[in-house]
Amino acid sequence: MNDTMIVTDSVKRFKWVGTRPIRPDGVPKVTGRALYGADLKLPGMLYGMILRSPHAHARIKSIDTSAAEALPGVKAVMTASDLPAQKFDYIGPERVAVNFWHVTRNILAREKVLYEGHAVAAVAATSGSIAAHAVSLIKVEYEVLPHVIDVDEAMAPGAPLLFEDMITRGIEPTPSVPSNISKRLEFALGDIEAGFRSADVVIEKEFKTAAVHQAYIEPHACVAKYEPDGQCEIWSSSQGHFQMRALTAQILGARLGDLRVTPAEIGGGFGGKTVTYLEPVAAILSKKAGAPVRLQMTREDVFRASGPTSGSSMWVKIGVMKNGTIVAADGIFKFQAGAFPGSPVMNGCLCAYAPYDIPNQRAVGYDVVSNRPKAAAYRAPGSPISAFAVESVIDMCAQAIGMDPLALRHKNACRIGTPTLAGPKHAHAGYSETLEALMKHPAYRVKLGPNQGRGVASGYWFNGGGESSATLQVNADGTVLVATGSPDIGGSRASMAIMAAETLGVDYNAVRAIVADTGSVGYTHVTGGSRVTFATGMAVVNASKSVVTEMCKRAALIWGVEADDVVWDDGYARPANAQAGDNKALSFKEIAAKAAATGGPITASHGVNAGGQAPGFASQFCDVEVDPETGRVTILRFVAAQDVGRAIHPAYVEGQIQGGVVQGIGWALNEEYIYNAKGLLDNPGFLDYRCPVASDLPMIDAVMVEVPNPTHPYGAKGVGEVGICPPMAAIANAIAMATGKRMTELPISPPRLLAALSS
Amino acid sequence: MGARIVFTAGFARRYTSGVREFEVEAKNLRGVLKAMDDLYPGLGAHLEDETTVAINGEYHETGYFQPVPPGAEVFFIPRIEGG
């Protein structure tokens, strides 16, 4: 492929935006030179290891670390007693509502262990083998307790309680007895009962989805170096080193200014690396040992002890008129939070019907704890789960009234001004356009054979804005350094360089984008919520504009005119009027070379709290073939249309769409946590937890629909998440067409589908 | 013409005795937060810490600087975090 191949209309307006330059992180990654969290080795570094619970649920009666401490080579041993107590208080955003009383107990257990793999104690030693031996010498006396894994069983009266004093929030009057239900939410619009009375067809169904892991390739890892003066440096792989700094500071009781966090290259995150597990432990071990300490998870640790997304149990009911108007939608969404409160059930509720103009809606959500690892964010957290249920029932409605499923969705598609369950009216278009792209797609008219079916589904995600910072430095040779605080998990370095080059009017290859540490650039919120190209991009563009202003001032000084007499045009300072005379245009490079003489280094920083982000809409269809003898589902074709605003680097945008679809295929067909009767995870590895591999997949046809966002200087919208919302329902709908069987539980694995076909 | 301030039912239950809609005169969000804090002391801090705001449907962080056009609908919803 030509590395500047034109695929979007952006290049009609822009020189670099919309092109596909070679990714700046490509060579280090494909040659194995990129440094990830586990690659760093400091002089005198110790090897940390964590002792984890062998039980799903048990009371900790005692911990004896004396034998481990006495082992030669062991330099530090710690338990939760080495971390300060945290106040019980839900603070911050509703979905995450961080309660550090819970967070510190997830990092190291205190009164009880709440899931297999729950961290109990940690050691640091001069070698990995000594650390492993030391961990085996720690004696923990447990009182094993009954456990509960399934969300419906966890909600049932008499279920084993994870927290004996947990009273459900959001219910009035306040319940008098504790339960595993952390919170109840309800959102409503219109008159739900009247809506259903006006429907010609009403369909309701129950659904279940399995907890699935983000399955990033790189396990969590960090190195911490705590100095005697209280300064601490941390190198870690995360989606937000400022977030890691904040969380670690709170857990340690340290000041932000005493911590400096450097981001390592990241081998995938998908939301799962917005959480801290290791950093505070490594910091305390380093403080106790007086030496740097590295901690890293094994793959088994990742599965057992880091956040998957929630599994769920749902009920959805939708009413439709014979002409295709959807008049009412109702749903109950029960999400597993894992061992501590905080599932993405609110998002699941608010996104459930968001693509549609439905006058009467209700969504009730429950956040439920059970003896599983604490749920973490996963690509559009919550939205794919409710979309599976809602988009399945919409498909059944289309079938019941004999309407094409794309046409039904298009008839009810939200527009600018459509009310949402969240409250505000939609302010951006983009959904209808994705449906129209599929309707026009030639593959939608391909005839299907025996045992084959076609399924359609859509999805919605809010997308994020928020705080970001960028610093630009102009070098004497005219090259430019762009430093941001956004870890690059989806190609942001290339996108930032493109937007800087476009704004400055310089060659893309003269711009190098880096991810700077917390001491070298301003605060930047996590790389998550599909926010980076939008929000950090704004900071980069604004900083670039400041550089342009400075370049004009420097040119004016060189010419002996006023800055207002200089105009910036395509990378050159040119006379703006007669006062500027007939001076020859000065290039960016020429002005950069005169930096010392004209005032010193040319640099600019900008911070934004970006707002006005547009949501993501995606619509997809897929063709499947079901083997009636084995229950295996083969994906024959997958077409994914997404409103991308304007694709800054189209190859990365296609990659985001394809990646979301592939993860959705895994969620739909194979991925699940399998627990045995003791509540222990039986498949904590990629051999038994089956993600899709290349040979399972057709080429995913990513269709970029460009409805630019007017609030972003280049029209960008977040693209990283919404692509994972539709695949599960699209596949289930295709299977329903192929077999006549409506599959309501994920994953639709061969044994489960075969059982349904045999019933 | 004042701005129409709207809260979710849950937020209103917690902080405004169930009242979901208000009309206030304000040029920016700082003015909205101050007006609401005057009505319900302490509410301004809750709005800052816990909400995202949609001004005529456009989502923003709840920052003082956001302009509020005359007649705008200012909807506070629980803050969303992504993956």
Side-chain angles (χ1 to χ4, degrees):
Chain A
M1 184 182 289
N2 184 328
D3 65 4
T4 55
M5 186 176 129
I6 296 166
V7 294
T8 74
D9 74 342
S10 299
V11 288
K12 295 173 189 166
R13 303 177 179 85
F14 304 113
K15 190 171 181 180
W16 295 108
V17 168
T19 64
R20 300 168 180 257
I22 291 172
R23 51 193 294 172
D25 57 325
V27 171
K29 283 181 176 168
V30 299
T31 56
R33 287 177 167 82
L35 294 176
Y36 294 87
D39 290 327
L40 183 69
K41 186 170 183 184
L42 296 178
M45 190 184 79
L46 301 174
Y47 297 82
M49 191 160 287
I50 288 179
L51 175 67
R52 297 183 181 278
S53 167
H55 305 295
H57 193 193
R59 199 173 310 282
I60 298 173
K61 298 176 77 174
S62 66
I63 303 175
D64 180 357
T65 61
S66 56
E69 288 167 17
L71 185 70
V74 172
K75 301 297 181 185
V77 180
M78 73 174 290
T79 64
S81 63
D82 290 294
L83 297 173
Q86 300 286 336
K87 189 179 168 192
F88 188 97
D89 191 15
Y90 290 95
I91 54 173
E94 174 81 7
R95 185 193 72 74
V96 282
V98 178
N99 185 331
F100 281 97
W101 192 91
H102 291 143
V103 173
T104 195
R105 280 162 176 74
N106 196 32
I107 289 169
L108 280 172
R110 292 185 181 229
E111 303 82 6
K112 295 206 292 187
V113 289
L114 295 171
Y115 54 94
E116 185 209 10
H118 197 163
V120 175
V123 303
T126 51
S127 74
S129 57
I130 293 173
H133 188 196
V135 158
S136 73
L137 295 176
I138 297 174
K139 295 189 186 84
V140 184
E141 191 181 355
Y142 293 106
E143 175 195 349
V144 177
L145 300 168
H147 66 273
V148 62
I149 299 292
D150 178 77
V151 63
D152 290 314
E153 291 175 11
M155 293 177 74
L161 294 178
L162 276 74
F163 302 96
E164 287 82 359
D165 57 354
M166 179 183 281
I167 299 295
T168 308
R169 294 166 290 154
I171 293 181
E172 290 178 2
T174 303
S176 58
V177 293
S179 76
N180 291 317
I181 305 169
S182 162
K183 185 171 61 177
R184 180 187 184 278
L185 299 160
E186 181 170 342
F187 300 91
L189 186 67
D191 183 336
I192 195 76
E193 304 306 333
F196 280 117
R197 281 197 297 274
S198 66
D200 295 315
V201 173
V202 175
I203 293 176
E204 60 184 296
K205 207 79 181 166
E206 292 180 348
F207 298 86
K208 291 197 94 156
T209 64
V212 296
H213 200 274
Q214 297 84 345
Y216 29 80
I217 294 172
E218 179 209 15
H220 297 260
C222 72
V223 174
K225 183 160 73 82
Y226 209 109
E227 300 293 350
D229 63 0
Q231 298 288 305
C232 181
E233 283 190 80
I234 294 172
W235 293 261
S236 94
S237 169
S238 80
Q239 287 176 242
H241 42 302
F242 285 91
Q243 173 96 331
M244 291 305 116
R245 184 182 67 163
L247 293 171
T248 303
Q250 177 67 34
I251 293 298
L252 299 184
R255 299 184 307 174
L256 291 175
D258 291 336
L259 298 179
R260 182 174 182 176
V261 183
T262 300
E265 198 66 70
I266 179 169
F270 312 110
K273 287 183 182 165
T274 56
V275 184
T276 182
Y277 302 101
L278 303 178
E279 289 83 358
V281 178
I284 292 294
L285 288 172
S286 174
K287 183 180 183 181
K288 292 181 90 167
V293 173
R294 181 165 72 202
L295 268 178
Q296 62 191 93
M297 289 192 182
T298 64
R299 177 59 56 190
E300 288 73 19
D301 293 340
V302 169
F303 273 110
R304 287 198 171 102
S306 73
T309 192
S310 301
S312 72
S313 176
M314 301 177 282
W315 166 84
V316 165
K317 176 180 173 182
I318 291 177
V320 62
M321 297 171 75
K322 283 178 184 165
N323 68 3
T325 303
I326 301 174
V327 289
D330 198 3
I332 297 173
F333 304 92
K334 297 176 277 189
F335 279 23
Q336 297 161 354
F340 297 96
S343 74
V345 69
M346 185 189 83
N347 299 351
C349 290
L350 295 182
C351 294
Y353 326 114
Y356 303 106
D357 184 357
I358 305 174
N360 308 292
Q361 309 177 23
R362 181 169 58 194
V364 175
Y366 292 93
D367 183 60
V368 184
V369 296
S370 62
N371 295 111
R372 297 167 165 272
K374 164 77 175 73
Y378 181 24
R379 231 170 181 156
S383 181
I385 300 170
S386 56
F388 168 59
V390 170
E391 294 291 317
S392 293
V393 177
I394 286 178
D395 193 69
M396 296 165 75
C397 290
Q399 198 174 19
I401 62 171
M403 195 167 178
D404 175 85
L406 283 177
L408 175 64
R409 286 170 172 81
H410 194 261
K411 182 177 177 65
N412 294 282
C414 67
R415 306 272 193 270
I416 291 174
T418 299
T420 68
L421 198 55
K425 296 180 178 70
H426 280 290
H428 293 271
Y431 177 46
S432 295
E433 290 82 349
T434 65
L435 294 166
E436 289 155 14
L438 294 188
M439 288 169 165
K440 286 187 283 193
H441 199 286
Y444 195 62
R445 289 180 289 282
V446 172
K447 288 194 175 167
L448 299 171
N451 300 314
Q452 295 180 356
R454 177 169 295 147
V456 167
S458 294
Y460 169 91
W461 177 243
F462 290 96
N463 289 334
E467 292 173 87
S468 282
S469 300
T471 295
L472 263 66
Q473 299 173 32
V474 179
N475 299 313
D477 61 357
T479 57
V480 179
L481 182 84
V482 177
T484 74
S486 294
D488 182 356
I489 60 172
S492 57
R493 276 169 289 193
S495 299
M496 297 307 134
I498 285 175
M499 286 185 274
E502 187 74 49
T503 310
L504 297 170
V506 302
D507 190 293
Y508 165 84
N509 297 298
V511 182
R512 174 158 295 275
I514 66 162
V515 185
D517 68 79
T518 57
S520 305
V521 72
Y523 175 81
T524 302
H525 193 43
V526 295
T527 298
S530 301
R531 60 174 297 279
V532 170
T533 307
F534 178 78
T536 308
M538 277 192 187
V540 167
V541 170
N542 289 345
S544 300
K545 287 178 177 173
S546 296
V547 166
V548 165
T549 301
E550 187 63 23
M551 296 303 251
C552 288
K553 284 184 191 166
R554 304 294 179 104
L557 192 60
I558 292 168
W559 289 340
V561 301
E562 297 298 320
D564 290 346
D565 299 329
V566 181
V567 66
W568 194 255
D569 175 33
D570 196 23
Y572 284 83
R574 302 180 196 276
N577 50 39
Q579 281 79 13
D582 57 356
N583 286 296
K584 179 176 167 288
L586 287 169
S587 70
F588 188 93
K589 190 174 178 178
E590 288 170 318
I591 301 170
K594 291 283 187 187
T598 56
I602 300 171
T603 178
S605 294
H606 203 93
V608 297
N609 190 347
Q613 65 270 25
F617 292 106
S619 296
Q620 302 171 355
F621 73 84
C622 69
D623 295 345
V624 305
E625 182 169 323
V626 176
D627 183 335
E629 293 184 0
T630 65
R632 179 189 165 93
V633 175
T634 301
I635 307 289
L636 303 172
R637 186 175 292 107
F638 210 114
V639 181
Q642 187 170 318
D643 170 24
V644 302
R646 181 169 280 123
I648 304 299
H649 190 305
Y652 273 117
V653 174
E654 289 166 346
Q656 289 290 337
I657 296 171
Q658 290 165 333
V661 168
V662 171
Q663 288 185 313
I665 290 172
W667 201 337
L669 295 179
N670 293 106
E671 294 181 38
E672 61 180 321
Y673 274 43
I674 299 170
Y675 284 94
N676 62 29
K678 292 181 177 175
L680 310 182
L681 187 62
D682 271 348
N683 61 335
F686 280 136
L687 280 177
D688 299 313
Y689 179 96
R690 194 178 185 289
C691 292
V693 295
S695 57
D696 294 325
L697 303 164
M699 187 65 188
I700 310 297
D701 185 353
V703 179
M704 294 182 291
V705 178
E706 290 198 318
V707 183
N709 178 3
T711 60
H712 185 273
Y714 295 114
K717 292 179 179 174
V719 299
E721 293 172 283
V722 72
I724 201 175
C725 299
M728 288 73 80
I731 290 167
N733 294 341
I735 291 170
M737 180 194 264
T739 65
K741 293 285 182 186
R742 171 58 57 181
M743 300 302 291
T744 58
E745 184 169 357
L746 300 182
I748 311 171
S749 55
R752 183 168 283 144
L753 182 53
L754 196 58
L757 294 174
S758 306
S759 66
Chain B
M1 190 179 181
R4 190 167 75 98
I5 312 302
V6 191
F7 299 133
T8 61
F11 197 89
R13 227 179 1 254
R14 247 175 296 158
Y15 299 122
T16 60
S17 309
V19 182
R20 292 191 57 193
E21 294 194 15
F22 300 85
E23 185 160 330
V24 303
E25 296 290 338
K27 290 179 181 170
N28 55 28
L29 269 187
R30 183 197 168 279
V32 171
L33 296 175
K34 184 170 186 316
M36 295 314 304
D37 201 65
D38 288 344
L39 283 172
Y40 298 92
L43 180 58
H46 288 299
L47 290 168
E48 266 188 63
D49 293 343
E50 300 169 23
T51 67
T52 290
V53 67
I55 303 172
N56 288 331
E58 291 275 13
Y59 282 88
H60 301 272
E61 299 285 303
T62 305
Y64 300 161
F65 56 91
Q66 295 295 347
V68 176
E73 180 187 82
V74 180
F75 212 121
F76 289 93
I77 70 164
R79 196 183 298 173
I80 306 293
E81 290 277 325

